[in-house]
Amino acid sequence: MKKATTPPHLLLVFIGLIFLPISTCQLAPAVYVFGDSLSDSGNNNALQTQAKANYAPYGFDFSGPTGRFTNGRTFADIIAQLLGLPFAPPYMGLSAGQRSTTTTGINYASGSAGILTETGTALGRCISLKEQVDLFKETQGRLSADHLSKAIFQISIGSNDYFNNYLSSQYNSSPCSNKVNGLVSLFNAKLPSLLNQLQSRNLGSVFVHNKIFDSTVALINDPAKFAPGSLCLANTQPCGDRRLNVFWDSIHPTEAVSYTMAVGCFNSTGQRMPVNVQQLASA
């Protein structure tokens, strides 16, 4: 394989229940996943950390506990299916041989990780964003420039920099805090200009910004669709109908919410900038 020397043509960034058939044709050669517990598919299983989800009732609507911090599929899993790809396997769950032969994507996300290297370390070991990128560089060396130029890269990270770092001593009140939401809104407001700068520096790349904050707040405030008041907590009996709950535990969304968000990001317009994922993969 020729080592990639050009930036990826397709670069997908996610910050932040209508049925949509899963694609039977492959719209992209691979999806590479970076982030935190919203995307972790089992990397933390191999780490010494309190941030684990490899026990019941996690995976209740999946194949059992896998390390995913939800009852079923994650946002990243659903995006992969919509692209006609298999789930991106966790890097830490692959042997050296498997890492060298896996070409449809790898998941590097790690529960409790953040943009800052120190984020999440109070819970134990995690793979920071910098480390995730370093691990990808190993993968990159085995892939051709053409393969990487058509691949989708998903990044969903940043919450833990607030939750498990700056504001770690301020989460003894209600889950929804105007002060915290204000800080997050400031970050979200400045993100588009940063993405524009990155795109100008990486010619040929396309950054898609999925504005998930407003969508999540809308779901929480719409009890006719979801009932956020009933949280599914770890090591307790799961709630009766996970399709009507925003959260699976006190932090992570249910598969139903991830599905709604993923489908919207895949084929909707408006909140997706400048194109949606389906358009991105077809570019």
Side-chain angles (χ1 to χ4, degrees), residues 1-277:
M1 292 288 188
K2 182 173 64 173
K3 184 175 181 179
T5 57
T6 57
H9 176 58
L10 305 179
L11 189 57
L12 174 61
V13 179
F14 299 104
I15 297 295
L17 290 177
I18 299 173
F19 176 72
L20 181 71
I22 299 301
S23 178
T24 56
C25 61
Q26 191 170 301
L27 303 182
V31 58
Y32 296 96
V33 182
F34 305 81
D36 52 30
S37 57
L38 295 180
S39 304
D40 191 346
S41 59
N43 282 308
N44 275 24
N45 293 351
L47 304 179
Q48 291 295 322
T49 176
Q50 298 175 47
K52 289 180 182 286
N54 56 349
Y55 54 87
Y58 289 106
F60 189 86
D61 298 299
F62 198 65
S63 57
T66 60
R68 290 171 169 82
F69 290 75
T70 183
N71 59 304
R73 296 167 295 174
T74 66
F75 186 101
D77 292 331
I78 297 165
I79 288 293
Q81 288 185 311
L82 293 172
L83 290 168
L85 293 166
F87 299 151
Y91 178 91
M92 299 298 291
L94 299 174
S95 66
Q98 290 172 324
R99 292 169 187 167
S100 65
T101 57
T102 300
T103 59
T104 54
I106 293 178
N107 188 315
Y108 306 90
S110 175
S112 79
I115 298 172
L116 300 176
T117 302
E118 61 267 29
T119 294
T121 54
L123 299 176
R125 175 83 168 91
C126 68
I127 309 172
S128 69
L129 181 58
K130 180 183 183 303
E131 291 178 284
Q132 293 177 36
V133 172
D134 289 341
L135 292 177
F136 170 72
K137 288 179 180 178
E138 297 179 8
T139 304
Q140 179 186 19
R142 299 189 291 266
L143 301 170
S144 69
D146 182 65
H147 173 91
L148 291 172
S149 70
K150 298 174 182 176
I152 300 291
F153 292 75
Q154 173 184 320
I155 306 173
S156 177
I157 200 166
S159 296
N160 288 318
D161 292 292
Y162 291 91
F163 191 73
N164 286 326
N165 198 348
Y166 296 126
L167 305 171
S168 59
S169 62
Q170 300 181 32
Y171 276 100
N172 297 321
S173 56
S174 62
C176 295
S177 166
N178 290 332
K179 179 179 179 181
V180 174
N181 286 340
L183 292 173
V184 173
S185 295
L186 178 63
F187 176 92
N188 290 338
K190 293 183 177 294
L191 181 60
S193 62
L194 174 61
L195 297 183
N196 288 335
Q197 292 177 34
L198 289 173
Q199 187 155 312
S200 66
R201 296 173 188 169
N202 296 273
L203 298 179
S205 297
V206 178
F207 287 75
V208 173
H209 177 203
N210 182 26
K211 299 179 180 178
I212 202 169
F213 179 84
D214 292 338
S215 301
T216 303
V217 172
L219 288 175
I220 292 174
N221 292 330
D222 186 3
K225 271 191 175 182
F226 294 94
S230 301
L231 303 182
C232 300
L233 302 177
N235 293 320
T236 63
Q237 181 65 30
C239 51
D241 193 345
R242 274 78 66 195
R243 295 173 300 174
L244 300 179
N245 285 267
V246 173
F247 296 104
W248 168 246
D249 55 20
S250 60
I251 301 173
H252 305 97
T254 57
E255 181 187 70
V257 168
S258 294
Y259 184 85
T260 298
M261 297 296 183
V263 169
C265 190
F266 185 77
N267 66 2
S268 296
T269 57
Q271 294 296 310
R272 271 41 72 176
M273 298 172 54
V275 294
N276 60 38
V277 178

